Amino acid sequence: MTTLPRMAAQHDYKTDHKQLTQWYNKNKRSLPWRENKNPYRIWLSEVMLQQTTVVAVIPYFEKFLQKFPTVQDLANAPEADVMEAWAGLGYYSRARNLHKAAKALAAGGFPKTAAELLELPGFGPYTSRAVASIAFGEKVGVLDGNVIRVLSRRYGLKLEWWNGKGRDHLQKISDELSLLGQADVVNQGLMELGATVCTPQKVMCMLCPWAATCVSREKNLVEKLPLKKPRKESEVWVWKPLVAIKNQKVALVQNDYAPFLKGQMIFPGEISMEKNKPKAYDAKHNITHHDIFIQITEKKSLTGKNLQWVDLKELKKVNPSSLLQKVLHKVKL
């Protein structure tokens, strides 16, 4: 059981707040979603930045906005076009939820509080708080990987941040800091500090506004904090897709049998979890903790009431996952 450390004194937060905001205003990067307070742009950037680096996101962000300049444009677009524009960013449930939420936002407008945003598809605690604070100035703190790392190190917190109590403790600190001034500056400052100075590997303490008071630096805990979340063990799955192609169309079904890409259009087939990887397979793919070994069966014809025949040129619109492209690459077209 983890013992939660005592919260730092209020005057410490005031000093930390002042140092952080001064540092951010002087050192913040020029990023396309920081050009204004447009909630659509801010929301889109936050969704894209989940599981993806800033450098990788910028070109996708700019192309996406060219295609869907407003939330109304996104709401009115066919899902296939949205998925095609998202192709390459991965974690495609983000794009589906983005599209669903856009329809609600286009109809009802952008809520200005984290509590209201939380009701929308794809808006978790972090995204809701980020959009509410950055776009609308609501005094709520954010908690993402960067903020968890920065706060854990600054205050020397050996917390199991992936559990409720540890996460709540860090959230309270983030909220305290956001209450002391401009929440948008505080939150972006914490994230910027974690992204550019207090990084997972290369830590540049001398550039940090909190270098003189950092507990983990004083106690030589920088490399030990935040605590490492126990890794979920990888699972070996043997997938046997049936690939049938005729007239430049491929047969797909809505996935109700595989533990990955749930609900998406994939090849029909069967799957099983195994203790050991198979000796023979056509290709290998990883999705989160699923190690997928692919054994392809090519079919000249295929029947079934749930089959959908999709034009090969349109496949990325239906399902942009690289897994399907990897299978097709192994098939003699």
Side-chain angles (χ1 to χ4, degrees):
M1 183 176 175
T2 303
T3 302
L4 296 182
R6 182 177 57 85
M7 295 282 277
Q10 182 68 32
H11 64 83
D12 290 336
Y13 288 135
K14 286 182 178 178
T15 302
D16 286 352
H17 169 270
K18 183 179 179 181
Q19 291 171 335
L20 177 66
T21 53
Q22 286 178 344
W23 174 86
Y24 175 72
N25 287 326
K26 185 179 178 181
N27 295 282
K28 63 183 176 183
R29 290 170 293 177
S30 177
L31 300 173
W33 45 86
R34 288 178 177 165
E35 291 174 2
N36 54 48
K37 296 290 185 182
N38 183 314
Y40 172 56
R41 292 170 64 94
I42 291 166
W43 167 48
L44 177 61
S45 73
E46 291 297 344
V47 177
M48 285 188 168
L49 285 165
Q50 294 166 19
Q51 312 290 339
T52 315
T53 64
V54 166
V55 173
V57 160
I58 289 174
Y60 280 101
F61 178 81
E62 292 174 337
K63 287 179 185 175
F64 200 92
L65 279 178
Q66 285 175 2
K67 195 162 189 177
F68 313 112
T70 68
V71 73
Q72 285 78 17
D73 293 317
L74 179 57
N76 295 334
E79 184 181 279
D81 289 355
V82 178
M83 298 307 291
E84 185 180 35
W86 196 270
L89 275 169
Y91 298 92
Y92 295 100
S93 61
R94 292 184 295 172
R96 289 187 177 85
N97 284 329
L98 192 81
H99 193 218
K100 288 177 188 174
K103 291 180 179 179
L105 291 166
F110 250 99
K112 296 183 179 181
T113 68
E116 292 173 291
L117 289 166
L118 194 57
E119 300 296 317
L120 295 165
F123 274 84
Y126 166 75
T127 306
S128 303
R129 287 165 169 266
V131 174
S133 62
I134 298 170
F136 303 114
E138 186 182 13
K139 291 184 180 296
V140 289
V142 296
L143 203 64
D144 70 347
N146 283 320
V147 179
I148 287 168
R149 183 169 58 258
V150 168
L151 295 181
S152 295
R153 287 175 175 171
R154 163 63 187 92
Y155 300 107
L157 302 175
K158 298 178 181 179
L159 293 173
E160 293 180 356
W161 51 266
W162 54 93
N163 289 330
K165 285 186 178 180
R167 200 170 190 88
D168 287 348
H169 188 70
L170 289 166
Q171 184 66 66
K172 285 176 184 176
I173 296 175
S174 183
D175 286 339
E176 285 283 346
L177 289 167
S178 72
L179 286 168
L180 291 168
Q182 293 175 280
D184 60 328
V185 175
V186 173
N187 289 335
Q188 290 182 97
L190 286 170
M191 292 187 282
E192 190 81 345
L193 195 58
T196 62
V197 174
C198 195
T199 61
Q201 269 78 43
K202 190 178 179 182
V203 186
M204 293 171 280
C205 292
M206 297 314 295
L207 299 178
C208 179
W210 293 339
T213 52
C214 178
V215 175
S216 62
R217 184 166 179 250
E218 179 190 347
K219 296 184 177 180
N220 200 28
L221 294 171
V222 172
E223 293 181 1
K224 296 176 182 178
L225 293 176
L227 296 182
K228 289 184 179 178
K229 181 181 179 180
R231 286 189 65 180
K232 196 167 187 178
E233 283 191 29
S234 293
E235 298 172 354
V236 173
W237 290 85
V238 176
W239 182 36
K240 298 179 179 179
L242 303 175
V243 182
I245 298 171
K246 64 179 181 183
N247 301 324
Q248 291 301 302
K249 292 186 176 182
V250 62
L252 301 178
V253 295
Q254 188 169 22
N255 177 22
D256 62 356
Y257 71 92
F260 45 84
L261 303 181
K262 291 179 181 178
Q264 299 183 40
M265 301 303 293
I266 65 170
F267 305 112
E270 58 184 45
I271 193 163
S272 60
M273 187 167 71
E274 307 291 343
K275 288 186 177 180
N276 303 304
K277 72 177 187 179
K279 292 181 179 178
Y281 52 91
D282 299 300
K284 184 177 181 292
H285 194 80
N286 296 92
I287 299 179
T288 61
H289 62 289
H290 301 105
D291 289 345
I292 307 161
F293 295 87
I294 307 162
Q295 298 173 340
I296 302 168
T297 300
E298 295 182 49
K299 292 279 189 178
K300 290 185 178 179
S301 64
L302 209 56
T303 57
K305 62 180 181 179
N306 296 323
L307 286 182
Q308 289 189 33
W309 290 88
V310 175
D311 194 310
L312 286 168
K313 292 180 181 178
E314 300 292 308
L315 182 59
K316 283 190 177 181
K317 289 186 177 182
V318 176
N319 188 340
S321 171
S322 59
L323 173 58
L324 272 63
Q325 299 299 323
K326 189 176 286 188
V327 172
L328 283 179
H329 186 69
K330 294 289 181 179
V331 175
K332 299 171 185 175
L333 296 178

